[in-house]
Amino acid sequence: MIDQPFIQLLWLLGSSVAVVVAFQKLHIPSSIGYLLVGVLFGAHTPGPVIDVQQIREVAEFGIVFLLFTIGLSFSLPQIHALRSQVLGLGTGQVLLTTAVIGAASWLMGLPPATAFVIGAVFAQSSTTIISKQLAEQGEEHSHHGRLGVAMSVFQDVTAVPFVVIIPVLSVIDDDVGALFEALGWALAKAVLAFLLVFVLGRWLLRPLFHAVAARRSAELFTLTVLFVSLLAAWTTSSLGLSMAFGAFLVGMMLGETEFRHQVESTIRPFRDVLIGLFFVSIGMLFDPSEIPRNWPWALAGVAAMLTSKTLLVALIVRLSGLDGLTAWRTGFLLAVGGEFGFALLAIALDVNAITDRHAQIVFTSVLFSMIVAPFLIRYNHALAGLFVRRAALQADPETYPVSADIAKHLSGHTIICGYGRIGQSVGHFLEEEQIPYVALDLDSSRVKEAHIAGEPVYYGDSAERDILEAVGLDAAKLIVISYDDVVSAKKVLHHARALRPDLPVMVRTRDETHADELRQAGATEVVPEALEAGMMIASHALLLLNVPFNRVVRRMQQQRAGRYRLLRELYRGEDVYSDNSDALAADALRSVLISSGSHAVGKKLAELVPEGVTVASLVRQGNRAPEPFDTLIKEDDVVVLFGAADDLDHAERRLLG
């Protein structure tokens, strides 16, 4: 064991930094990296060992601050606003999964307390894994993607009662009557704590934070946030409940105030660090040597979790009125285990509500499910297709799906992929010009409203070849891809080029980052939304400055023909420290000061600047020369270059020698 606390801290922080950096590069959730650090420094693996108790005493506050920020995000008015679909679906999924898994575990001979803990742990899903994987495959804005993320986020709220219930399970053996009695007392205390925090919070919190904010001291504001959150945690702890429950309650109260965003920003650094320590402490409890003995039960647990959650989520989503394909795809998203399950497992271990061996099996099951999760989410459409046939989807009139009859009367029309803000704008302009069009979207409620209004909008994935064929790709005159989704756009381009190489395809992007990639994939025109917004503002500014209209139009045409050169010539600034590889690879401006002794002094720029780099200007004594290729460079000149980062590095070396 490592004896000195300071050395322990150095080992822990250094290893955490290295592992989290590696995991982020591999697009693996940081929480799994912290778990790995805990396993490496736990007593069950060879090498240095850190005292888990010291870590746990500090890491417990990570859950306190996590529940505090969840409370900020789900104040009473927000929960009331979500009472319809997400509240009902999220609560139903957690309760049903807990009941089904818990009942199955109890029938297998496990004690009621242990069975309840297993059901509660398995009911959680990983918001981090779901949202990141959906973003990578371009489905974060799809109907099933938005619904799956919303339900997984709301699971954090439904997990709060578990934080209250699990600590009382330590008094339970096999006496079901004692279980209900203890739960009744716990719920009564929870109601008392809620009323206490609610009344005092409504009466004191807003005036308190108004007074603190008036001092304009970030230090005082931070101290107040810590004091209020920990005071609420101590209050519920004094009532025999979890500290995290009190933090959640006071977070809900602060979530109703105008200070919510600043409070969340203040508490985030403490929360993130302590949550990391918490997962490290959880990893220290894991014994890898138990895997050979427990793996059959762990695999059975994974199968039970994935199967039951997929079926239950698909069932309740389908019963809510959504189509079968969306229901099954949402079910596969939420089937995976979640990090909050580890938190519930740690609480159960602390109060002896679950044995160490059962905890090892549950831990391994959740971990295995998180490993499988990216594959399950990536192929959610193919898996859902095994349960929902296209004929069944077409039989549901509420979704207005694509059918073979749509293309019969279409010719010379435009296909709009995505009917959001941009897609609807394009459609309305086409309608004004009496140009026929058909639109595709995966938001069933949006499709339903537009279709009822008489607009030719249908439910379908435009990235699928048969859907494009069904809306008359062979007779279309133009495709407009209106969503900012590079992965899906490339799929549409692939099908369009395979079926209609001559068909013009216009693609909307947020900026110029993926423009070349999309052009190479076959896009006829790429319209960067941010650059077009800059063009509109610049043109209006010129008109207000009395620049002739014809000259403004000519300027705009020149910029579009030159691929928005003036708007793309930007100084990168602090983006150089970004971890976004696309941002780092994008073209940018760079100013190079020619100092005495530089290789470029006395030479012409045309002789030195390599291919791939554009000379934007040369600045001499404060005056700019826009095209200085034949000018001899002098000492103290500033050469402004435009190009990719690697090309700029090469050009700068050639200029300076």
Side-chain angles (χ1 to χ4, degrees):
M1 179 179 290
I2 305 175
D3 295 326
Q4 299 182 28
F6 187 71
I7 300 298
Q8 288 188 5
L9 182 62
L10 290 178
W11 271 98
L12 191 61
L13 292 177
S15 302
S16 298
V17 169
V19 171
V20 169
V21 167
F23 274 45
Q24 287 182 348
K25 286 184 176 295
L26 296 172
H27 302 288
I28 301 174
S30 300
S31 55
I32 299 181
Y34 287 121
L35 290 172
L36 177 60
V37 172
V39 172
L40 295 176
F41 288 105
H44 305 293
T45 54
V49 176
I50 294 178
D51 184 7
V52 66
Q53 189 58 37
Q54 294 181 3
I55 300 296
R56 288 294 300 277
E57 290 174 358
V58 179
E60 185 177 0
F61 290 101
I63 297 299
V64 171
F65 290 137
L66 174 62
L67 267 294
F68 179 71
T69 53
I70 291 173
L72 289 172
S73 301
F74 289 94
S75 62
L76 287 176
Q78 289 169 314
I79 292 177
H80 184 265
L82 293 170
R83 67 189 183 280
S84 55
Q85 192 177 79
V86 175
L87 175 58
L89 295 179
T91 304
Q93 181 266 314
V94 173
L95 292 179
L96 285 174
T97 303
T98 304
V100 170
I101 297 293
S105 302
W106 181 57
L107 291 175
M108 291 175 60
L110 295 178
T114 301
F116 180 84
V117 169
I118 294 174
V121 172
F122 280 10
Q124 308 305 310
S125 302
S126 175
T127 304
T128 304
I129 293 178
I130 293 171
S131 57
K132 283 189 174 181
Q133 186 61 40
L134 286 173
E136 284 185 14
Q137 61 198 54
E139 295 181 17
E140 71 271 29
H141 300 302
S142 63
H143 196 190
H144 65 280
R146 292 198 303 269
L147 182 59
V149 172
M151 289 178 66
S152 66
V153 170
F154 194 75
Q155 284 178 359
D156 296 339
V157 177
T158 58
V160 174
F162 294 140
V163 174
V164 176
I165 294 170
I166 289 177
V168 307
L169 299 180
S170 58
V171 301
I172 308 303
D173 187 10
D174 292 319
D175 190 345
V176 178
L179 171 62
F180 285 108
E181 181 181 353
L183 290 179
W185 276 108
L187 292 177
K189 291 178 180 179
V191 171
L192 175 62
F194 174 78
L195 293 175
L196 185 63
V197 175
F198 181 82
V199 173
L200 293 178
R202 286 289 179 90
W203 181 46
L204 292 175
L205 285 179
R206 194 185 297 270
L208 172 63
F209 275 89
H210 270 295
V212 170
R215 306 301 302 172
R216 298 184 180 276
S217 169
E219 177 184 2
L220 181 60
F221 194 91
T222 302
L223 288 173
T224 306
V225 171
L226 293 175
F227 171 73
V228 168
S229 57
L230 294 179
L231 177 63
W234 174 82
T235 301
T236 52
S237 178
S238 300
L239 292 173
L241 301 172
S242 167
M243 290 196 301
F245 180 61
F248 173 77
L249 292 179
V250 78
M252 288 179 64
M253 296 303 103
L254 285 172
E256 298 181 28
T257 71
E258 60 270 35
F259 303 102
R260 179 172 72 89
H261 297 293
Q262 184 59 43
V263 169
E264 185 176 8
S265 176
T266 299
I267 208 69
R268 186 182 296 118
F270 299 95
R271 180 200 65 187
D272 293 346
V273 172
L274 292 173
I275 280 292
L277 284 178
F278 176 79
F279 284 119
V280 169
S281 67
I282 296 295
M284 290 178 175
L285 301 176
F286 180 58
D287 186 359
S289 64
E290 290 289 320
I291 293 180
R293 186 160 68 105
N294 295 332
W295 71 266
W297 288 106
L299 290 180
V302 173
M305 181 196 310
L306 298 181
T307 302
S308 62
K309 290 175 73 174
T310 301
L311 292 174
L312 290 172
V313 171
L315 175 64
I316 61 177
V317 172
R318 191 71 180 94
L319 291 176
S320 72
L322 297 180
D323 60 279
L325 184 63
T326 299
W328 281 106
R329 296 183 78 172
T330 307
F332 284 112
L333 298 186
L334 291 170
V336 303
E339 296 90 346
F340 211 98
F342 293 132
L344 297 179
L345 191 61
I347 295 172
L349 277 170
D350 283 342
V351 298
N352 298 317
I354 188 171
T355 65
D356 184 67
R357 177 155 189 251
H358 289 137
Q360 294 289 338
I361 294 173
V362 173
F363 184 101
T364 308
S365 296
V366 175
L367 191 61
F368 282 177
S369 77
M370 294 172 77
I371 294 172
V372 173
F375 304 97
L376 201 63
I377 298 171
R378 178 173 294 278
Y379 299 107
N380 69 83
H381 186 273
L383 293 170
L386 300 175
F387 300 91
V388 179
R389 301 301 176 190
R390 187 166 303 281
L393 178 61
Q394 292 174 351
D396 186 358
E398 291 298 313
T399 60
Y400 300 101
V402 175
S403 66
D405 298 331
I406 294 174
K408 287 183 178 179
H409 307 291
L410 290 175
S411 179
H413 60 290
T414 297
I415 300 174
I416 302 176
C417 302
Y419 206 60
R421 173 175 54 87
I422 303 296
Q424 292 177 46
S425 299
V426 173
H428 295 160
F429 274 98
L430 292 176
E431 187 176 21
E432 287 289 326
E433 294 295 327
Q434 298 183 347
I435 298 174
Y437 73 93
V438 61
L440 297 167
D441 201 279
L442 286 173
D443 188 323
S444 59
S445 60
R446 179 187 295 158
V447 170
K448 181 179 179 180
E449 289 185 19
H451 205 93
I452 291 174
E455 299 181 21
V457 185
Y458 299 91
Y459 183 90
D461 187 352
S462 57
E464 294 186 20
R465 177 174 177 147
D466 55 345
I467 296 292
L468 291 173
E469 289 178 326
V471 294
L473 179 67
D474 58 338
K477 199 170 183 178
L478 173 68
I479 293 180
V480 177
I481 303 175
S482 68
Y483 44 67
D484 181 26
D485 183 342
V486 176
V487 176
S488 294
K490 290 174 67 175
K491 291 179 181 178
V492 176
L493 288 167
H494 172 74
H495 298 317
R497 290 295 159 250
L499 298 170
R500 287 281 308 278
D502 61 322
L503 181 64
V505 182
M506 178 182 292
V507 184
R508 166 241 175 166
T509 62
R510 188 170 301 278
D511 51 39
E512 187 76 357
T513 304
H514 300 285
D516 290 336
E517 180 182 355
L518 290 167
R519 289 189 183 96
Q520 291 175 4
T524 309
E525 189 70 43
V526 178
V527 181
E529 183 178 3
L531 299 187
E532 278 295 330
M535 292 270 287
M536 291 301 298
I537 293 172
S539 63
H540 281 286
L542 293 175
L543 290 172
L544 290 173
L545 292 170
N546 298 321
V547 176
F549 179 77
N550 291 337
R551 188 185 303 176
V552 173
V553 172
R554 187 170 63 253
R555 290 284 188 191
M556 299 302 107
Q557 291 174 341
Q558 289 173 350
Q559 285 302 304
R560 290 189 177 97
R563 291 174 53 187
Y564 309 90
R565 176 181 166 183
L566 289 180
L567 298 178
R568 291 168 60 237
E569 291 183 351
L570 303 173
Y571 297 101
R572 186 61 54 203
E574 293 184 358
D575 283 353
V576 71
Y577 300 108
S578 171
D579 60 358
N580 185 340
S581 58
D582 294 329
L584 295 178
D587 292 351
L589 287 174
R590 182 179 300 180
S591 301
V592 180
L593 175 63
I594 307 299
S595 57
S596 63
S598 295
H599 176 67
V601 174
K603 296 183 173 61
K604 295 181 180 180
L605 282 174
E607 304 173 8
L608 299 171
V609 177
E611 186 178 352
V613 175
T614 302
V615 178
S617 63
L618 183 142
V619 182
R620 176 174 297 168
Q621 296 179 348
N623 298 316
R624 290 166 56 91
E627 295 183 0
F629 296 101
D630 295 327
T631 305
L632 293 178
I633 302 175
K634 297 182 180 180
E635 183 181 336
D636 294 329
D637 282 351
V638 176
V639 180
V640 183
L641 305 174
F642 176 71
D646 291 341
D647 293 335
L648 291 175
D649 290 338
H650 178 50
E652 186 173 358
R653 286 194 297 269
R654 292 189 62 176
L655 288 171
L656 300 180

